[in-house]
Amino acid sequence: MNPADSSQTPGPPHGLSPAPPLAPARACAASGRGLARPLALALLGALALLAVLGPWLSGHDPRVQQLDAVRALPSAAHWLGTDHLGRDQFTRLALALRLSLGLALATVAMAALAGSALGLAAAWRGGWPDRLATTLADAVQALPGLLLVLLVAAISPGDFGPLYAGLALALWVEFFRVVRLMGRGVLQGAPVEAARLLGFGPLAIVRRHLWPELAPVLLTLAAFGAAAAVLALATLGFVGVGLQPPTAELGLMLIELLPYWREAPWLLLPPVSALVLLTAGFMLLARRGHAP
């Protein structure tokens, strides 16, 4: 063997190209995740400002009809035009955003509190409380989420309360399962055993050991849940079984304006864009916690 040849670094086998470096791809993915949270917060913050300040800025009453100015183009008086009844589109869009954001956040908060508390109790106690809670979760999850919301909303069609209860009932199971599974692993670990031997109470164990492990996952679940609640509310309004007119809601606005898409296609753009941006904001917020 030639000594000069043996000193060279062996190359890849003939016919095989070297494997591409993974570091740049991982760096790009990490950079994307780093930008996702600021972008999501900026997007959701802008939509929240529009929802809060929109009616005040426009100065129009969303219920007032101007039948001599139906389907008007955007102008200085009506920034997004008027709908088929002459109502101001910008004001109704702001109110629809306020309703969707408020319902999504309230629903997710209720589902997260109920599901997390039940999951933590099941992981902590074990035994029959765990079996009972798991059976209840299995029974709820056996029904498709949208069907469950429809069944609850049918108690009083068009009312806000049953719709809110139905969405929360469909969302709490995910929080329960995640908290129960992760909580059981943490509670069986050596740090928690040591904390118990040292005399720390349940509150200290939850605050020092459970919450740091659960918080990132729960926040990701909450963002996904909010996006699902927004889409479910719009879907129910679109098929006419959710909130009823004259309530300003994104799905209702779409179904009301859809017959006029040939004469006034610009009217559909604001509710569709708001729905897409709202969902995208929550999805970007959820993407923050994902591993590559």
Side-chain angles (χ1 to χ4, degrees):
M1 176 181 293
N2 190 348
D5 293 337
S6 62
S7 63
Q8 294 177 353
T9 302
H14 181 67
L16 295 179
S17 59
L22 295 178
R26 289 177 177 172
C28 290
S31 175
R33 289 196 304 278
L35 291 175
R37 186 188 186 194
L39 182 60
L41 292 177
L43 186 57
L44 293 175
L47 292 174
L49 278 179
L50 175 60
V52 173
L53 300 179
W56 176 73
L57 290 174
S58 71
H60 290 285
D61 188 334
R63 298 164 299 181
V64 173
Q65 302 179 8
Q66 300 177 15
L67 298 181
D68 58 342
V70 297
R71 301 194 298 275
L73 284 167
S75 63
H78 301 285
W79 298 339
L80 294 179
T82 60
D83 65 4
H84 61 298
L85 296 176
R87 297 172 296 191
D88 185 68
Q89 269 280 83
F90 181 80
T91 308
R92 289 182 60 78
L93 180 70
L95 291 176
L97 275 174
R98 185 185 299 178
L99 179 64
S100 294
L101 268 174
L103 182 68
L105 295 179
T107 300
V108 167
M110 174 59 70
L113 283 175
S116 300
L118 203 56
L120 184 58
W124 200 293
R125 299 286 299 182
W128 68 266
D130 183 20
R131 290 193 296 273
L132 181 62
T134 304
T135 303
L136 180 61
D138 290 341
V140 171
Q141 205 165 32
L143 290 174
L146 199 56
L147 177 60
L148 184 62
V149 178
L150 280 173
L151 291 175
V152 178
I155 297 173
S156 182
D159 284 352
F160 184 85
L163 201 56
Y164 164 75
L167 288 171
L169 189 60
L171 290 176
W172 73 272
V173 177
E174 294 298 329
F175 291 94
F176 165 75
R177 292 199 186 283
V178 168
V179 171
R180 173 180 174 270
L181 183 62
M182 293 185 65
R184 178 178 292 178
V186 173
L187 291 173
Q188 292 175 350
V192 173
E193 290 295 330
R196 284 172 172 163
L197 291 175
L198 290 173
F200 287 99
L203 188 59
I205 291 175
V206 169
R207 184 166 57 87
R208 290 176 177 271
H209 299 283
L210 281 170
W211 178 247
E213 296 292 331
L214 294 175
V217 182
L218 291 181
L219 291 177
T220 300
L221 274 181
F224 276 126
V230 168
L231 289 177
L233 181 64
T235 302
L236 294 174
F238 189 80
V239 299
V241 295
L243 299 174
Q244 298 298 313
T247 305
E249 190 273 324
L250 295 176
L252 271 178
M253 292 177 70
L254 285 175
I255 195 61
E256 286 178 343
L257 298 172
L258 196 58
Y260 308 99
W261 71 272
R262 289 182 185 277
E263 298 89 347
W266 65 87
L267 291 178
L268 288 171
L269 188 59
V272 170
S273 301
L275 191 58
V276 170
L277 291 176
L278 199 53
T279 308
F282 283 122
M283 296 302 285
L284 283 175
L285 202 59
R287 185 173 178 267
R288 171 184 170 250
H290 273 273

